[in-house]
Amino acid sequence: MSDQLGFQFRPPERRVWTVRALVSAVRSHIEREYSDCWVEGEISNLRIPDSGHLYFTLKEESSQIRVVMFRSSAKLLRFRPENGLHVTVRGRITVYEERGELQISAEFMEPKGAGALQLAFEQLKARLQAEGLFDASRKKPIPPLPQRIGIITSPQGAALRDILNILARRHHSASVLIYPAQVQGDAAPGEVMAGLRHFNQEIQRPESRFRAVEVIIIARGGGSVEDLACFNHERLARSVANSKLPVISAIGHETDFTIVDFVADLRAPTPSAAAELVIRSRQEIEAQAEDLYRRLERAVRYRLLMARQDLTERAQHGAFARMMDGIHRRQQKADEQRFRLEKAERQLLDRFHRRCESTIAAIRHYDARRRLAAVRQGLQAQVANLAAAAHTRLLELRGALDRQTASLEALSPVAILNRGYAIVFDASGQLVKDAARLNAGEEVSARLARGRIRARVTATEPNESESK
């Protein structure tokens, strides 16, 4: 096109995008600009499939955005996401290419308002309480004087020293088995559960049953809420609840409460108090046993005296002889009834035996083995036919494949190179077809049938036909 003055106008060149290319370009731009964002809103449409990933929508009054949190990040959450919960999410903004939708790939999430640890504590407490794991009816009694006590704690902690000192003072003959475990951090729940499994497995082994512990103490000294958070672990709480041995929790100070305290069979305010609760002093038990022995001895002597006097009076009365005669007659009648019952039982068993024999004879008449042999023979013939057909088909396909492979090898550029030819490329990697494109001193590379070479041009010569 041209105007009256003769100027030429060219319309702008159109650039046509494919859908995938456009979405990919937008995604790359957004991920560069919004690689680390904090977004807050309300959770809705929460879905948690078997894969462990979290899919939900983060919304406010008039806007919403989809969020995905993959399992590797979701398993680190300290609380359980729920619809309606107001949260703050950190992650990168991206585009889901399959639907062309904007979404957040979240790496961290925390509830807004209440702390994540406290919210996780309340959620887990409510769920386990609804299942009945806190009920007093399921608590196992603590043995009053255990001879073997298992302790799960840190060997370097002060809690262990306090427990051992009190046990040595109050009952030095009790033996203590210590299972070393971390009592702080992410690895603590797994190690404490391993200790519970170890002590519970010992009671199931016949060779170690007499040296297995009778009660378990889980001990840890005081600390912050974050330090004690490992004892709010759901799997650890269920392991304590499922323990066949009674468990005493001695975690933190008297004002500290964890989920393990609620499911344990007994909660001690401190590790020292746990040692006092698990075992009573030897002097107290010996004094109580001596008092019970004296009271029992007096009671037995009094009862024997009264019974001897009563028996003497009854033996001298005529009614006693008549009573014994009646007892003897009833005993004889009971023996006769027993004889009749045994005879009826034998007759009933004989009839049942005869019925079983007739039934077995009828079943033998219909021998299923012959039918199974015929079915097996037909099945084997069909399998042989199928194998032969498959072998023939494979031979046909292999012949066709060999022919096509030979055709491809005949057309392959590598076959041409094997005849001594080479393909030359300039320094920028472009194929060289004309020697006039190269200048002396330029570097070139050549592809041979086996390998490559690099060289430098010393001179170029035109074809004889071109020079003429």
Side-chain angles (χ1 to χ4, degrees):
M1 297 176 62
S2 62
D3 59 4
Q4 297 176 354
L5 298 178
F7 292 105
Q8 298 289 328
F9 293 96
R10 294 182 179 180
E13 182 180 356
R14 290 194 304 174
R15 180 180 180 181
V16 180
W17 297 77
T18 64
V19 175
R20 178 175 294 275
L22 178 61
V23 173
S24 179
V26 172
R27 175 185 177 182
S28 300
H29 176 74
I30 291 176
E31 288 181 349
R32 284 194 303 270
E33 294 294 326
Y34 303 95
S35 60
D36 187 11
C37 295
W38 292 81
V39 185
E40 67 176 61
E42 179 183 326
I43 294 178
S44 65
N45 300 323
L46 175 64
R47 293 181 293 120
I48 308 178
D50 295 337
S51 61
H53 309 318
L54 301 181
Y55 302 93
F56 58 92
T57 301
L58 204 62
K59 67 175 185 178
E60 55 182 10
E61 294 181 357
S62 59
S63 301
Q64 64 180 16
I65 186 172
R66 292 184 181 272
V67 182
V68 56
M69 175 175 279
F70 296 107
R71 180 176 58 184
S72 57
S73 300
K75 67 180 181 181
L76 301 178
L77 293 178
R78 298 280 189 178
F79 67 99
R80 183 180 181 86
E82 297 176 350
N83 286 323
L85 188 65
H86 204 79
V87 297
T88 302
V89 172
R90 180 183 183 183
R92 59 185 175 91
I93 312 301
T94 183
V95 174
Y96 182 51
E97 296 185 358
E98 298 295 330
R99 293 193 296 267
E101 291 183 347
L102 196 67
Q103 69 177 17
I104 302 175
S105 179
E107 299 176 355
F108 174 79
M109 181 167 57
E110 64 180 3
K112 188 173 178 60
L117 292 178
Q118 184 62 28
L119 179 60
F121 176 84
E122 298 297 338
Q123 288 178 340
L124 181 57
K125 179 182 176 183
R127 187 164 67 253
L128 297 183
Q129 187 173 14
E131 295 180 18
L133 266 65
F134 300 167
D135 295 346
S137 58
R138 56 159 298 277
K139 305 285 185 180
K140 295 177 283 296
I142 307 299
L145 190 62
Q147 294 299 313
R148 291 163 298 279
I149 302 171
I151 302 177
I152 304 175
T153 188
S154 172
Q156 294 79 27
L160 178 60
R161 293 193 295 271
D162 294 342
I163 293 175
L164 294 179
N165 290 336
I166 293 177
L167 291 179
R169 185 176 67 251
R170 294 177 64 89
H171 191 46
H172 59 83
S173 63
S175 61
V176 176
L177 278 73
I178 302 171
Y179 189 93
Q182 295 187 41
V183 290
Q184 181 176 334
D186 295 335
E191 296 191 8
V192 175
M193 286 189 291
L196 289 170
R197 287 194 299 270
H198 171 75
F199 287 131
N200 279 274
Q201 288 172 356
E202 286 296 318
I203 64 175
Q204 299 176 1
R205 299 175 181 173
E207 66 277 6
S208 60
R209 186 170 301 169
F210 295 103
R211 51 187 175 86
V213 302
E214 302 171 49
V215 64
I216 302 173
I217 299 176
I218 301 176
R220 190 215 188 276
S224 64
V225 175
E226 290 76 11
D227 295 338
L228 303 180
C230 59
F231 294 98
N232 296 327
H233 194 274
E234 181 175 358
R235 289 181 57 199
L236 175 57
R238 295 188 183 278
S239 297
V240 172
N242 295 329
S243 174
K244 296 180 176 60
L245 294 169
V247 178
I248 298 177
S249 65
I251 302 168
H253 299 300
E254 187 171 0
T255 56
D256 297 324
F257 283 90
T258 65
I259 296 297
V260 171
D261 292 327
F262 292 107
V263 298
D265 300 295
L266 179 64
R267 176 188 179 264
T270 61
S272 300
E276 296 176 355
L277 290 173
V278 75
I279 194 164
R280 298 158 60 186
S281 68
R282 176 181 289 274
Q283 292 80 7
E284 179 184 353
I285 294 175
E286 290 177 350
Q288 185 177 3
E290 182 66 23
D291 180 64
L292 290 174
Y293 177 78
R294 287 194 298 267
R295 291 171 58 187
L296 179 61
E297 185 180 18
R298 288 196 300 268
V300 170
R301 287 180 179 177
Y302 176 76
R303 294 294 298 271
L304 285 174
L305 180 62
M306 297 302 296
R308 185 180 294 111
Q309 182 178 354
D310 184 64
L311 180 60
T312 302
E313 293 177 356
R314 291 179 181 276
Q316 295 174 356
H317 200 282
F320 182 75
R322 293 192 297 271
M323 181 185 65
M324 293 301 299
D325 185 56
I327 291 175
H328 292 156
R329 287 197 302 269
R330 285 172 173 78
Q331 287 177 343
Q332 183 178 359
K333 185 176 181 180
D335 290 339
E336 292 177 355
Q337 294 291 341
R338 187 177 71 249
F339 295 150
R340 293 174 59 187
L341 181 61
E342 291 176 353
K343 182 179 178 181
E345 183 181 2
R346 287 194 298 270
Q347 293 175 350
L348 182 62
L349 289 175
D350 290 340
R351 288 198 298 270
F352 180 73
H353 182 68
R354 288 193 296 270
R355 290 178 59 186
C356 287
E357 288 181 346
S358 62
T359 304
I360 292 173
I363 292 174
R364 288 174 179 172
H365 180 69
Y366 297 98
D367 191 357
R369 287 177 295 183
R370 289 178 296 177
R371 297 186 180 182
L372 289 175
V375 172
R376 186 182 295 111
Q377 185 178 1
L379 182 60
Q380 290 175 349
Q382 294 178 2
V383 169
N385 293 336
L386 181 60
H391 181 70
T392 303
R393 182 57 178 165
L394 286 175
L395 292 177
E396 295 175 355
L397 293 176
R398 182 177 299 170
L401 179 61
D402 292 340
R403 290 191 297 274
Q404 293 176 2
T405 301
S407 299
L408 287 175
E409 290 178 350
L411 298 175
S412 172
V414 178
I416 299 175
L417 295 179
N418 283 328
R419 294 200 295 269
Y421 292 96
I423 304 175
V424 181
F425 301 91
D426 60 14
S428 63
Q430 299 295 325
L431 181 65
V432 177
K433 299 181 180 180
D434 188 355
R437 286 182 49 192
L438 300 176
N439 298 317
E442 289 190 20
E443 289 188 356
V444 294
S445 61
R447 166 69 187 275
L448 305 178
R450 286 178 291 281
R452 290 175 175 268
I453 61 173
R454 295 185 179 275
R456 188 179 300 276
V457 178
T458 57
T460 59
E461 296 179 358
N463 292 336
E464 295 179 0
S465 59
E466 294 178 358
S467 61
K468 294 179 182 180

